[in-house]
Amino acid sequence: MSDHISGEHQRLIIEKLYRSSDSITSTNKFNDKYGSKIGDMGERSMPINDFARKMKDTGFSSYDVERHTKSITGKNIDLESL
């Protein structure tokens, strides 16, 4: 799959995962917690499979990550298959 996910879409997904209404604050919180492990998110476009692999290494449920990714990007990802 050669689809990419934009930095803006990453921020919106992270906002949903934190049940927030502010994508910038949520992304900063996310990067403070996970950035040293998986790299900062929400800054640049990346292949959607790379995004999925990184999100798999966080404390968020696969179901929530997959659901929010589908609702924001329209693309299906399967974290369990990675």
Side-chain angles (χ1 to χ4, degrees), residues 4-23:
H4 280 71
I5 182 167
S6 70
E8 178 182 359
H9 282 159
Q10 294 169 42
R11 289 189 302 273
L12 291 172
I13 292 166
I14 292 168
E15 173 186 323
K16 295 255 188 213
L17 290 169
Y18 277 110
R19 295 180 175 99
S20 170
S21 61
D22 180 359
S23 65

Side-chain angles (χ1 to χ4, degrees), residues 28-76:
N28 288 339
K29 180 178 177 181
F30 179 90
N31 287 336
D32 286 346
K33 184 169 185 176
Y34 299 107
S36 63
K37 181 178 179 183
I38 64 171
D40 286 347
M41 303 290 267
E43 295 178 354
R44 62 194 165 299
S45 179
M46 68 175 65
I48 199 158
N49 280 345
D50 290 351
F51 172 76
R53 281 187 192 91
K54 289 180 178 199
M55 293 305 287
K56 188 175 180 178
D57 290 336
T58 67
F60 294 102
S61 79
S62 296
Y63 173 77
D64 286 341
V65 173
E66 292 169 3
R67 179 171 55 105
H68 294 313
T69 301
K70 174 70 174 173
S71 73
I72 302 250
T73 68
K75 297 176 171 83
N76 289 313

